[in-house]
Amino acid sequence: MPVDLHVHTTASDGALAPSEVVRLAREAGLSTIAITDHDSTDGLDEALRASAGSTTCVLAGVELSVDGGTGSDAHVLGLEIDHREPALVATLAGLRAGREERACTMVAALAAAGYPVDMASVREIAGPGSIGRVHIARALVAAGCVPTVQEAFRTLIGRDARFYARKQTLRAVDAVDAIHAAGGVAVLAHPGVSGESAFPALLAAGIDGIEAFHAEHTAADRERFAALAAANGLIVTGGSDFHAPDLRSAPIGGGGCPDEAVEAIRIRARRYRG
Ligand code: MN
Ligand code: MN
């Protein structure tokens, strides 16, 4: 049965609650999913509860942002982590504080330029999830400033737009260490989309795998990154990066992850367990 090792929920910028994601995965016939919210493990308890007695198994995960060195960020997945490990919990709390600060910076700049948005509405839209640009984008749509979230990114808060501010990131070695200390394996996410420049630093830091299969990767990307993984003795993983059940987002299970990745991750994680 297919697996999907990169899935978001309302604990970060996904549209569905963790239990709804697990239900959708079960309906899609997936045997295993990894919940990998940005800088947050808050969705995991609900997802793990929902998977109990279900045919879909949930791997505890997280997606961390690390400095890619060239002005861009790389994303690192932590898979099969102990999400209650105190050092990881503290690291994530620090990253979420940084997200809050960054959102305040962007919202203040937007407000100063005359856009009728404020942090109260952004926080309300984010709910319990870690705050991200998508929540600012939704506030801009709700205020009638732009017709769609995509338009908000394109014209106002995307990487090359006027109100973009960078997110606080971890050093590659700190992200990998935090994941290993929590007993999990560290995987470079979607290098064909972003983050390839961080690979040497991540390799030196002891990264365990590469997400060669990703919904936005081309066949050439998959081949190249699977070869890079093989050349370095790393696990190949894959995922959809599912965020919402709409046409712009890949469907859950849509990443083409090789089934054997799950067993490889479980075996590799034993290295980091006390
Ligand atoms: Mn990512
Ligand atoms: Mn993601």
Side-chain angles (χ1 to χ4, degrees), residues 53-271:
S54 160
T55 49
T56 299
C57 176
V58 169
L59 279 193
V62 71
E63 182 169 17
L64 302 175
S65 298
V66 312
D67 188 351
T70 52
S72 68
D73 296 346
H75 291 175
V76 175
L77 301 171
L79 299 171
E80 186 77 332
I81 53 170
D82 170 6
H83 61 290
R84 294 190 187 83
E85 194 274 322
L88 177 66
V89 169
T91 298
L92 295 177
L95 289 170
R96 288 202 298 274
R99 283 174 163 272
E100 178 88 13
E101 246 181 73
R102 173 218 206 187
C104 286
T105 301
M106 292 174 65
V107 167
L110 284 160
Y115 293 90
V117 287
D118 57 46
M119 277 308 287
S121 57
V122 173
R123 278 197 196 94
E124 194 182 326
I125 288 165
S130 61
I131 279 190
R133 278 182 296 161
V134 72
H135 305 117
I136 300 174
R138 286 188 206 143
L140 286 161
V141 173
C145 304
V146 282
T148 62
V149 163
Q150 287 68 32
E151 196 63 9
F153 273 83
R154 199 180 67 75
T155 61
L156 296 171
I157 60 171
R159 186 171 291 280
D160 299 318
R162 177 176 167 199
F163 298 100
Y164 176 80
R166 280 198 76 183
K167 188 163 58 181
Q168 183 193 324
T169 53
L170 295 170
R171 293 190 308 156
V173 63
D174 293 334
V176 173
D177 284 354
I179 291 164
H180 287 169
V185 305
V187 173
L188 172 60
H190 50 63
V193 178
S194 67
E196 187 178 0
S197 63
F199 181 70
L202 288 166
L203 188 64
I207 195 136
D208 305 285
I210 301 178
E211 190 182 46
F213 291 79
H214 182 273
E216 289 181 49
H217 277 184
T218 63
D221 288 333
R222 291 194 288 272
E223 203 171 305
R224 189 157 70 87
F225 292 114
L228 187 62
N232 291 283
L234 304 178
I235 300 167
V236 168
T237 77
S240 64
D241 220 341
F242 174 80
H243 282 79
D246 61 37
L247 294 174
R248 292 182 301 273
S249 176
I252 198 160
C257 182
D259 293 9
E260 59 269 25
V262 175
E263 190 55 20
I265 286 163
R266 291 209 167 104
I267 290 167
R268 185 92 170 194
R270 288 184 200 140
R271 294 185 185 189

